[in-house]
Amino acid sequence: MASSETAAAAGQRTRGLAPFLRSQMRNIAPFLTLIFLSAFFAFASPSFATIDNLGNILTQVSVTGIIAVGLTFVILCAEIDLSIASIANVTGIAVAYFTLQESYVNIANIPLPGVVAILLSILLCAALGLVNALGLTVIGIPSFIMTLAMMQIAAGISALLVRGQIAYKVPGLVTTLGSGSIGGIPWIVIVAAVMLLGGHLVLTYTRFGRYVYMVGGNREAAEYSGLNVKLILGSVMIISAVCSGIGGMLGVAHFGSAQQNEFDTYLLDSIAAVVVGGTSLFGGRGGIGNTIVGLFVLGVLNNGLDHVNIDSFLKILIRGVILLVALIINVYAQRLREKAAD
């Protein structure tokens, strides 16, 4: 009798655990992937599992992390922003354009004081984000199409500013935050950590954060509850653009130059960080914590593949496969959620 009751209780716990695991698949899978990749590369290369290399990984994902903060807000609202890389690029070019360059730099720019150059660059990326916001909320253009157009607009502005040339100097503050360090810790890592923490606090503990989840979770219900959905959508588009602009400015200082198409790869990297981390493409599920896990997955993967000297073209293929697997998990988890709700 006792044994049968124990077996029944165990069966009930198992049946209770299964729905929990299914509901948390989007969060568990990226974490398990991170553990597996870390263990594999630590075994494959003795130089991988070191404190110095951890610092390298953190530095390598910092610019992506800064950009991904704003993109997380957008995807949580079940929207997309394809202009993040171009806005990062044009903002980085703009801050160099407004900085006095060396005589050998063949760019007819407008030198301004450092603080003014930074403020104008931030205003530029915010203005581009505002255009995205107005296109989405006022005109009604889908975010995919609107930001695709903005991608070209921002790329065109970048081309007009530098005309195929390369600028090198940026204001001192940007140089310090992008390429300097304090106590052996790169400032760009600190900035990324602060922005990720700030994004997490906003999404978790503020009314605006709750509204973002409401809009992404059920937009129609959010509208019926009296929430200004268009204002929330417009706000996240501007937040995304400003985060991209900050990432672009610091990235230019980190790389040591401002030029066209410098941040093109950051579009896929940023989307991958958010999605691989487990934030739902359908909105309302996920957050900055998921994005951090996604950043580490990508950082460990890219860094680890360099340590095992794998073919660079195969590296691109592997990243694509991992992104595809993350998308499959994302869609499958959404279907499970909808099935449970029926």
Side-chain angles (χ1 to χ4, degrees):
M1 178 72 70
S3 61
S4 62
E5 290 178 355
T6 302
Q12 187 175 9
R13 286 195 298 270
T14 303
R15 289 192 297 272
L17 182 62
F20 172 77
L21 291 176
R22 286 197 297 268
S23 67
Q24 294 299 314
M25 180 189 303
R26 187 184 291 115
N27 297 321
I28 295 172
F31 189 70
L32 292 178
T33 302
L34 176 60
I35 293 175
F36 170 78
L37 289 174
S38 300
F40 172 78
F41 288 123
F43 176 78
S45 173
S47 60
F48 175 81
T50 63
I51 296 298
D52 288 341
N53 193 49
L54 175 60
N56 292 334
I57 293 173
L58 291 174
T59 303
Q60 290 164 5
V61 302
S62 292
V63 174
T64 305
I66 293 170
I67 297 172
V69 171
L71 185 62
T72 302
F73 281 77
V74 174
I75 292 180
L76 281 172
C77 284
E79 300 291 346
I80 192 65
D81 187 352
L82 299 180
S83 64
I84 50 176
S86 293
I87 290 179
N89 204 44
V90 72
T91 309
I93 287 175
V95 78
Y97 182 82
F98 293 124
T99 304
L100 181 64
Q101 300 293 318
E102 301 291 348
S103 57
Y104 57 80
V105 176
N106 188 25
I107 297 176
N109 65 331
I110 305 174
L112 296 171
V115 174
V116 177
I118 294 171
L119 289 177
L120 284 178
S121 301
I122 294 293
L123 286 174
L124 172 62
C125 65
L128 296 177
L130 179 60
V131 173
N132 277 337
L134 294 175
L136 172 64
T137 61
V138 177
I139 303 176
I141 304 172
S143 59
F144 181 90
I145 302 300
M146 183 63 231
T147 58
L148 184 64
M150 180 54 68
M151 178 198 299
Q152 295 298 313
I153 292 170
I157 297 173
S158 297
L160 285 173
L161 291 179
V162 294
R163 297 182 178 275
Q165 303 299 313
I166 301 176
Y168 299 96
K169 297 196 68 175
V170 293
L173 176 61
V174 177
T175 301
T176 299
L177 294 179
S179 59
S181 61
I182 179 171
I185 303 175
W187 272 111
I188 195 168
V189 174
I190 297 174
V191 173
V194 169
M195 291 188 65
L196 286 164
L197 176 62
H200 173 71
L201 293 177
V202 169
L203 286 173
T204 306
Y205 298 108
T206 68
R207 182 177 298 178
F208 176 76
R210 291 193 294 273
Y211 290 166
V212 168
Y213 281 103
M214 288 173 63
V215 170
N218 191 326
R219 190 168 299 182
E220 186 176 352
E223 289 178 343
Y224 283 140
S225 68
L227 185 62
N228 190 336
V229 171
K230 290 185 177 181
L231 180 61
I232 300 300
L233 293 176
S235 298
V236 299
M237 299 306 291
I238 296 174
I239 290 171
S240 178
V242 171
C243 289
S244 298
I246 293 172
M249 284 196 297
L250 299 189
V252 162
H254 182 68
F255 301 136
S257 65
Q259 54 188 304
Q260 290 175 238
N261 307 319
E262 189 169 21
F263 292 87
D264 284 0
T265 60
Y266 282 85
L267 172 59
L268 178 59
D269 287 349
S270 300
I271 293 174
V274 178
V275 176
V276 169
T279 294
S280 174
L281 286 168
F282 304 95
R285 292 289 187 278
I288 297 297
N290 297 84
T291 298
I292 293 173
V293 174
L295 286 169
F296 273 105
V297 169
L298 293 179
V300 167
L301 177 63
N302 292 332
N303 183 275
L305 290 175
D306 290 337
H307 278 262
V308 296
N309 297 319
I310 198 167
D311 190 310
S312 60
F313 295 102
L314 183 58
K315 176 180 175 180
I316 298 172
L317 173 62
I318 293 173
R319 289 176 58 194
V321 170
I322 288 181
L323 177 57
L324 175 60
V325 172
L327 291 172
I328 292 171
I329 293 173
N330 211 304
V331 172
Y332 184 63
Q334 177 66 18
R335 289 178 180 173
L336 289 177
R337 177 187 168 196
E338 292 174 352
K339 185 176 180 181
D342 291 340

